Amino acid sequence: MKLPLYGWLAAETISLVGTRISMLALPWFVLETTGSPTKAGLIALFEMTPLVLSKIFGGPVIDRIGPRRVAIACDLGSAVVVGLIPVLYAAGLLHFPTLLALVALAGALRGPGDAAKSAMIPQLVEAAGVPTERATGLHSFVERTASMLGVAAAGLLIGLVGATDAIVIDAASFAIGALVLAATTAGLGRSRQHEPEAPSENPVPYGAQLAEGWQFLRRDRVLLGIAFMVALTNLIDLAWSSVLMSVWGQQHAGPETIGLLFATFSGFSALGSAVAAALGDRMRRYPTYLVCFLITGIPRFLVIAFGAPLWVVFVVFAIGGTSSGFINPILGAIQFERIPAHVLGRVMSLISAFAWGLMPLGGLLGGGLVSAFGLTTALVACGIAYFMVTMFPAIDPTWKQIERRPDPAASRLPAVAES
């Protein structure tokens, strides 16, 4: 039964496009209404902080009541919260502290909502009868494509209808995504191992459940290594995309070139994810991980740092983007195979919190390096750091465990429908 998988992918596409629109529309809305770049910068901080915290503390809730219910409830809540922004603005009741409170609440809903959607993957894979790499590869393709389309749509929408109406479209995307997810996964078959935890006379306290997730993650060196690696690469990537590329664009290229380069990287990344979805279960994970990170990592920093011709920069971004599309399907499959179903929600939430936790510091890192050492040194330093972080598995034999794949027949249990 592949309808739940395709419905989940469709819902993800809709909500991700809306989220990418809001990433540009909300700061633009603040600039239009307040004229303050400082206040526009506060939007990201007030959204990101509760998002990361809710990822950490929302895991036990996902395991208790089930990822499908949490995902649908969070998307519906997001639709209401985001929708209140243009409604209150039209009524003359939207003061800046109120806007920050709504943005913070939206971030708090997105954290467990995103984690819950990821935690649905084992159920979807089981129902569809496809390899885990197929589902994670398709999700990576959807994510990359939605990012590319969402950013492009945001610019067009703001220009055509204004930032306020673009936020309305974002709110609608959450509502439509929730309805699509609810409709297409209503009869989702799943094995008993994927059921939410049943109530008992002596339920495990929330704090103990949270600690259990952390203890599991701490004991698994591969999963803990993935969490730290993604946290550090996301930090460097944000410094690169938000500051280093912008400074280079101002000095050498212009905003149109920057936009085309990011679109090239995202577009070819979506292509790589599509190939990974089709072939990922037949590829060796360990060498693929190392080669793809080597190609997508340090070269894009160095071609910018040392003034390569623009056509060379575009070629490097295209090749690097294609390689990057293979990475998330591998990492996703490893996580879902190594985490038991009864702690999946809280462990995935912790890994996701790691991934997002350092990102608010990315802009500070990039800006500080450029101010202290100049653009070229900052690019080279970030490229070398990226290389060291991503190539560490080459000298750590523990990472060779990622080649292990589970026996598909071992986890087959009688299917029941979610009530």
Side-chain angles (χ1 to χ4, degrees):
M1 184 172 61
K2 295 184 178 180
L3 176 62
L5 174 61
Y6 294 140
W8 173 77
L9 289 169
E12 276 283 77
T13 302
I14 295 166
S15 62
L16 282 170
V17 168
T19 299
R20 298 303 183 264
I21 290 173
S22 70
M23 287 173 62
L24 183 59
L26 276 172
W28 201 282
F29 172 78
V30 173
L31 286 173
E32 283 184 341
T33 55
T34 70
S36 171
T38 301
K39 289 183 176 180
L42 285 173
I43 292 295
L45 177 64
F46 270 74
E47 181 181 21
M48 192 71 68
T49 302
L51 188 150
V52 173
L53 291 174
S54 65
K55 280 180 179 290
I56 296 173
F57 295 107
V61 178
I62 296 171
D63 288 328
R64 282 186 176 186
I65 67 177
R68 177 178 176 270
R69 296 183 179 94
V70 173
I72 294 170
C74 286
D75 270 6
L76 290 174
S78 296
V80 174
V81 171
V82 175
L84 281 173
I85 295 173
V87 170
L88 292 177
Y89 176 70
L93 300 174
L94 186 65
H95 305 293
F96 189 66
T98 305
L99 175 61
L100 289 179
L102 290 173
V103 168
L105 183 54
L109 287 167
R110 257 191 68 198
D114 290 350
K117 290 172 189 173
S118 294
M120 289 181 66
I121 288 180
Q123 304 171 37
L124 297 163
V125 165
E126 184 178 322
V130 299
T132 304
E133 289 93 341
R134 181 76 49 82
T136 55
L138 288 171
H139 182 259
S140 182
F141 171 77
V142 162
E143 185 177 23
R144 308 283 186 174
T145 305
S147 297
M148 180 176 60
L149 295 177
V151 173
L156 291 173
L157 286 169
I158 292 171
L160 291 174
V161 300
T164 305
D165 287 339
I167 295 172
V168 173
I169 293 172
D170 177 32
S173 73
F174 279 116
I176 295 170
L179 293 175
V180 170
L181 187 65
T184 57
T185 62
L188 181 63
R190 62 183 182 180
S191 66
R192 297 183 187 275
Q193 64 176 322
H194 295 308
E195 290 188 61
E197 295 179 0
S200 63
E201 293 182 2
N202 299 301
V204 179
Y206 173 87
Q209 285 189 311
L210 196 63
E212 183 184 5
W214 164 244
Q215 291 300 325
F216 179 88
L217 178 60
R218 186 178 62 85
R219 288 192 299 265
D220 192 309
R221 284 191 58 193
V222 171
L223 290 178
L224 193 61
I226 289 174
F228 276 107
M229 182 272 295
V230 174
L232 292 171
T233 54
N234 280 353
L235 170 69
I236 300 169
D237 274 329
L238 198 66
W240 170 73
S241 61
S242 65
V243 177
L244 303 184
M245 287 295 292
S246 297
V247 174
W248 176 77
Q250 287 182 338
Q251 295 179 359
H252 303 287
E256 297 84 3
T257 301
I258 298 295
L260 285 173
L261 282 170
F262 283 146
T264 299
F265 192 90
S266 296
F268 277 89
S269 181
L271 175 63
S273 296
V275 176
L279 305 177
D281 58 311
R282 287 172 276 174
M283 295 168 50
R284 291 190 59 199
R285 292 174 175 175
Y286 183 65
T288 301
Y289 166 94
L290 291 173
V291 170
C292 287
F293 255 131
L294 181 63
I295 294 173
T296 196
I298 194 170
R300 59 188 157 98
F301 292 90
L302 297 185
V303 292
I304 297 294
F306 295 114
L310 193 56
W311 70 267
V312 174
V313 177
F314 271 98
V315 170
V316 169
F317 272 53
I319 296 173
T322 303
S323 297
S324 74
F326 286 82
I327 295 170
N328 282 350
I330 292 174
L331 297 180
I334 294 166
Q335 293 170 53
F336 294 121
E337 291 169 0
R338 296 179 74 91
I339 303 173
H342 72 283
V343 293
L344 181 63
R346 67 201 89 161
V347 177
M348 287 298 298
S349 293
L350 288 170
I351 292 174
S352 184
F354 267 93
W356 286 77
L358 296 179
M359 289 177 69
L361 303 178
L364 297 176
L365 173 66
L369 287 173
V370 172
S371 299
F373 305 105
L375 179 61
T376 299
T377 302
L379 283 163
V380 172
C382 286
I384 292 173
Y386 203 97
F387 173 82
M388 294 175 64
V389 170
T390 55
M391 291 298 106
F392 179 76
I395 61 174
D396 183 358
T398 303
W399 279 76
K400 293 184 179 179
Q401 296 178 24
I402 68 177
E403 289 288 358
R404 300 176 186 171
R405 286 178 164 88
D407 179 5
S411 61
R412 289 175 189 161
L413 296 172
V416 296
E418 181 177 342
S419 59

